[in-house]
Amino acid sequence: MIMLETLSIENILRILAFTLIAVIMVLWELLFPRRVPGKKRIRWPGNLGIFLINTCMLALIPITAVGAAILSIQHQFGLFYWVEFEFWPKVILCILALDLLIYWQHRIFHMIEPFWRIHRMHHTDTAFDFTTALRFHPIEIFISILIKAAAILVLGAPVFAVIAFEIILNGSAMFNHGNIKMPSVVDRMLRWIIVTPDMHRIHHSTDPREHNMNYGFFLSIWDRIFGSYLNQPGQPQTTMPIGLEIFNQDSEARVDRLITQPFRKSTI
């Protein structure tokens, strides 16, 4: 009963946070776009369709991040049950650890071919806006929840920390994929702490040297620490080509084509 109540609260909080951030991003992109908007009528149905499929899949599988945290409480299992920490330092350390995990998961998905074939669907979007943050293959989402749940169990992460991280991760992904204009001085200041759209857009460049940099989703420190930070792309942010040299036809934006991309070498 407690688990169901906690999961219900988590779902409500995440839906509210997602809706609020999505509305903000849509308005920001409409009023102050950084680049000429991509072909929304072609791209958005596919991106939003994939997001809907992933949402339904996550609702059906019996594995959740919060469920893993509750399991660790029930069995008093995990690092933070074996080492004494105050509540807030524990929450902060868990968020840092999970964000570092996401950084390395992302980087490994670029390094290992079978994982890259799954992840590259995210990179085949030919434009860059907040819906790109929703465009992940269901296989990648499933692998990610397994990795995240295992890490939460090992950490013994508090439920509050897990819910906070999930909201932060989803919100920051939509933010740093946004086609939004910010003053350059604000971008430079924010980059010392979090990943900004101009920083992450480089990661979506068609140039392999650039899309293998700037892996962070929330905090920018991991790219700086592990040598994967790139300050600026080779071409201007407003005109640099986005996507990959393959799967860049308009027809590839359809949901059925997106789902089959990992199993195809080209659009033929």
Side-chain angles (χ1 to χ4, degrees), residues 99-169:
D99 196 52
L100 176 59
L101 172 73
I102 295 298
Y103 166 86
W104 275 108
Q105 177 190 314
H106 188 187
R107 190 162 179 172
I108 288 169
F109 268 58
H110 275 252
M111 294 166 57
I112 300 175
E113 176 62 22
F115 290 144
W116 168 243
R117 290 178 70 91
I118 297 166
H119 178 66
R120 73 184 177 190
M121 188 197 82
H122 177 65
H123 282 266
T124 58
D125 200 344
T126 54
F128 186 88
D129 59 36
F130 88 98
T131 69
T132 308
L134 311 177
R135 176 187 171 124
F136 286 94
H137 199 280
I139 295 174
E140 180 171 2
I141 294 296
F142 182 72
I143 294 171
S144 295
I145 192 61
L146 292 179
I147 294 171
K148 196 188 305 178
I152 288 166
L153 281 172
V154 170
L155 287 171
V159 170
F160 178 83
V162 174
I163 294 175
F165 178 72
E166 292 286 88
I167 292 172
I168 289 169
L169 183 64

Side-chain angles (χ1 to χ4, degrees), residues 83-94:
V83 181
E84 288 293 327
F85 276 93
E86 295 296 325
F87 177 75
W88 285 111
K90 188 189 299 186
V91 168
I92 293 169
L93 286 171
C94 283

Side-chain angles (χ1 to χ4, degrees), residues 38-87:
K39 301 175 181 178
K40 293 181 182 180
R41 291 183 180 179
I42 295 172
R43 296 172 46 254
W44 278 30
N47 291 355
L48 296 175
I50 287 292
F51 172 68
L52 181 61
I53 290 170
N54 288 334
T55 301
C56 292
M57 179 189 70
L58 290 174
L60 292 173
I61 63 175
I63 303 167
T64 67
V66 170
I70 293 172
L71 192 63
S72 72
I73 292 172
Q74 292 173 338
H75 295 278
Q76 298 290 289
F77 180 86
L79 175 64
F80 289 114
Y81 287 102
W82 307 327
V83 181
E84 288 293 327
F85 276 93
E86 295 296 325
F87 177 75

